[in-house]
Amino acid sequence: MSKAKRNSVVRQVKISSLVLLAVGLLCSLHVNAQISTRKLEAIYLYNFTKYINFPAASGGYVIGVLQEKSIANELQGNLKNKSEIAVKTISSPSEAKACNIVYVPKSASSQLAALVSQINDAGVLIVTEEDLASEGAPVSFVVDGSKLRFKINQLALKKTGLQASSSLLSLAILI
C-alpha cells in the first residue's frame, strides 16, 4: 500500500472515530436530560401532594403511572426518601380511582378522555407528561425554553373536586 493511500485510510479512520465519539456524547447528553427531567417531574409530583388539598389522603399518597412500568420505577426511585408516597403502574383508566395522582406518559396520552370520564369528581389529580391541559388534563408538564413548568387547567381541576393552593397557582401557567 502506498504512503498516500495509507495516510488517506488513517485519516478516514480518525474522522470515523470522531464522528462515533460525537454521536455517543450526544446520545449521552440526551439520556442525562431525560433523567433530570424525570427527576424534576418527581419533585413536582411530590409538591403537588403538599399544595393540593386531597380529601381522601390519610397518611399516604399513591401515584399511579398509566401503562409505563419503567417510568413508575424511575419515579419511585426519585421519590425513595418520601415514605408517604407509593408509585405503582396502573394498566387502565378504571384503576385510577385507587390513586391520588395519575401520571399519564406521552405513550398513554390517547387515553386521557377515558381517564377523565372515569374519575370525574373522585378527587384524583391527572398529570400529563405532555401539554394536554387544553384537552381536559388538570395539570400538564410543559417545557418552557430549557425549564420544566406546569400548566393548570382551572376548570378541569375544579371538576376533580380538588383545590390547589394560591401559592401553587401562582407558579403555574393558568388556562
Side-chain angles (χ1 to χ4, degrees):
M1 184 183 293
S2 73
K3 188 175 180 178
K5 193 170 187 175
R6 189 175 343 175
N7 286 342
S8 175
V9 170
V10 168
R11 187 178 312 128
Q12 286 177 345
V13 169
K14 285 181 180 179
I15 290 171
S16 297
S17 297
L18 286 173
V19 168
L20 287 174
L21 179 64
V23 169
L25 286 173
L26 288 174
C27 289
S28 172
L29 290 174
H30 177 71
V31 168
N32 286 337
Q34 272 298 75
I35 291 170
S36 62
T37 298
R38 192 74 69 215
K39 195 172 276 193
L40 286 172
E41 289 173 347
I43 292 167
Y44 275 124
L45 291 169
Y46 172 72
N47 284 318
F48 292 157
T49 67
K50 302 293 179 206
Y51 294 98
I52 293 178
N53 182 19
F54 288 91
S58 58
Y61 296 90
V62 176
I63 298 173
V65 178
L66 190 57
Q67 298 179 341
E68 287 287 340
K69 188 169 182 63
S70 63
I71 292 174
N73 290 340
E74 197 172 343
L75 287 173
Q76 183 66 58
N78 288 323
L79 293 167
K80 66 182 171 217
N81 296 328
K82 311 297 183 207
S83 60
E84 69 275 16
I85 296 180
V87 181
K88 69 178 192 174
T89 306
I90 59 173
S91 58
S92 68
S94 63
E95 297 175 48
K97 286 187 179 181
C99 304
N100 302 99
I101 298 174
V102 175
Y103 179 82
V104 181
K106 287 179 188 176
S107 61
S109 293
S110 63
Q111 296 193 41
L112 178 64
L115 185 59
V116 168
S117 69
Q118 190 73 230
I119 62 169
N120 204 6
D121 62 352
V124 177
L125 179 66
I126 299 170
V127 179
T128 59
E129 182 178 18
E130 64 180 328
D131 185 3
L132 298 175
S134 61
E135 295 178 36
V139 178
S140 288
F141 288 122
V142 293
V143 177
D144 184 12
S146 63
K147 294 182 180 179
L148 181 66
R149 299 201 49 213
F150 60 96
K151 285 185 178 180
I152 293 182
N153 178 328
Q154 293 176 302
L155 181 59
L157 183 64
K158 187 176 183 177
K159 287 180 181 179
T160 66
L162 300 172
Q163 268 189 309
S165 71
S166 59
S167 56
L168 183 66
L169 292 173
S170 71
L171 297 173
I173 300 166
L174 301 174
I175 64 164

